[in-house]
Amino acid sequence: DFQMTQSPSSLSASVGDRVTITCRASQSISSSVNWYQQKSGKAPKLLIDAASTLQSGVPSRFSGSGSGTDFTLTISSLQPEDFATYYCQWSWTFGQGTRVEIK
Amino acid sequence: EVQLVESGGGLVQPGGSLRLSCAASGFRFSDYWIHWIRQVPGKGLAWVSRITIDGSNTAFADSVKGRFTISRDNAKNMVYLQLRSLRVEDTAVYYCVRDGGVGTPFDHWGQGTLVTVSS
């Protein structure tokens, strides 16, 4: 079965830190990997589609990259409102999620 | 403004049934596929089902195949998910989600409706 393996499952970071979350596909896929942010008690929100296209209104500190099997979400300077859980997704498969917590 | 509003969740006993509804507004409903994605409280996201723009093609996760059905009424801008033979492991928040078709992201999500299966 196809899988998206996301790492780490959680991380602690401080405001201003650079944060990187990775997602590895179990087989080579197109660049149509999407990233979502979910805050506690809320529905997920699309941040990035097609691996690197930032959605309208999403701060430029968020960026995405990758192709083939390895994809990355980067937050260049973590802000208080970025503490949330992040998911990668391809087709109908989601990664397990990465919880970003305050250090 | 794009809106997807789910309803119909609640407490049901194992083996029971429930129908979830999703009311869409703010966009041309008949141009979009609609999915249901669920999330066990405290856990990750899991795709459940999808229906194409005219309802002619549906798909289901293996875990719900044969127990859930999906339908839509484009005249009413509504999507329905019928849940049957419910199991404790079906307990989750169910989200109604829009996408534009193959290769497009899940770009708008409803707020979710909680289904609890318990005796």
Side-chain angles (χ1 to χ4, degrees):
Chain A
D1 282 359
F2 178 80
Q3 292 184 353
M4 296 286 277
T5 302
Q6 197 172 332
S7 61
S9 56
S10 65
L11 64 91
S12 294
S14 300
V15 172
D17 284 353
R18 182 180 182 88
V19 168
T20 299
I21 299 167
T22 62
C23 204
R24 174 161 288 175
S26 58
Q27 64 190 62
S28 182
I29 59 177
S30 67
S31 60
S32 294
V33 168
N34 308 307
W35 291 93
Y36 302 84
Q37 176 193 64
Q38 185 178 32
K39 295 185 178 179
S40 182
K42 301 293 186 182
K45 170 189 169 185
L46 177 65
L47 288 181
I48 289 171
D49 78 278
S52 60
T53 302
L54 211 62
Q55 296 303 290
S56 174
V58 175
S60 59
R61 62 182 178 272
F62 289 92
S63 63
S65 64
S67 63
T69 59
D70 295 319
F71 299 86
T72 298
L73 172 69
T74 299
I75 309 172
S76 60
S77 177
L78 197 65
Q79 297 302 301
E81 60 268 31
D82 301 336
F83 292 96
T85 300
Y86 295 85
Y87 294 92
C88 61
Q89 171 253 329
W90 180 81
S91 185
W92 300 338
T93 302
F94 290 90
Q96 303 94 318
T98 296
R99 184 175 179 179
V100 177
E101 300 174 319
I102 302 172
K103 182 183 283 185
Chain B
E1 178 194 4
V2 173
Q3 282 200 309
L4 297 161
V5 180
E6 303 93 335
S7 61
L11 175 63
V12 60
Q13 292 188 335
S17 298
L18 214 53
R19 189 177 84 154
L20 307 184
S21 300
C22 172
S25 61
F27 63 101
R28 189 166 174 166
F29 180 69
S30 56
D31 283 351
Y32 289 84
W33 291 12
I34 299 294
H35 301 251
W36 289 92
I37 293 169
R38 69 185 182 184
Q39 185 172 37
V40 174
K43 303 296 184 182
L45 300 167
W47 175 83
V48 174
S49 180
R50 73 102 170 102
I51 188 164
T52 52
I53 57 176
D54 60 358
S56 62
N57 194 290
T58 61
F60 299 90
D62 288 344
S63 57
V64 308
K65 203 171 291 182
R67 300 187 298 120
F68 290 10
T69 56
I70 188 172
S71 61
R72 69 189 291 163
D73 184 339
N74 285 348
K76 295 181 178 180
N77 288 3
M78 296 289 296
V79 173
Y80 307 98
L81 186 69
Q82 180 71 49
L83 289 60
R84 298 184 180 88
S85 302
L86 282 161
R87 305 168 179 167
V88 170
E89 55 266 33
D90 295 318
T91 295
V93 174
Y94 286 72
Y95 294 102
C96 173
V97 185
R98 181 187 93 161
D99 92 47
V102 174
T104 62
F106 300 128
D107 66 349
H108 284 276
W109 298 60
Q111 85 287 350
T113 187
L114 176 62
V115 172
T116 303
V117 184
S118 174
S119 54

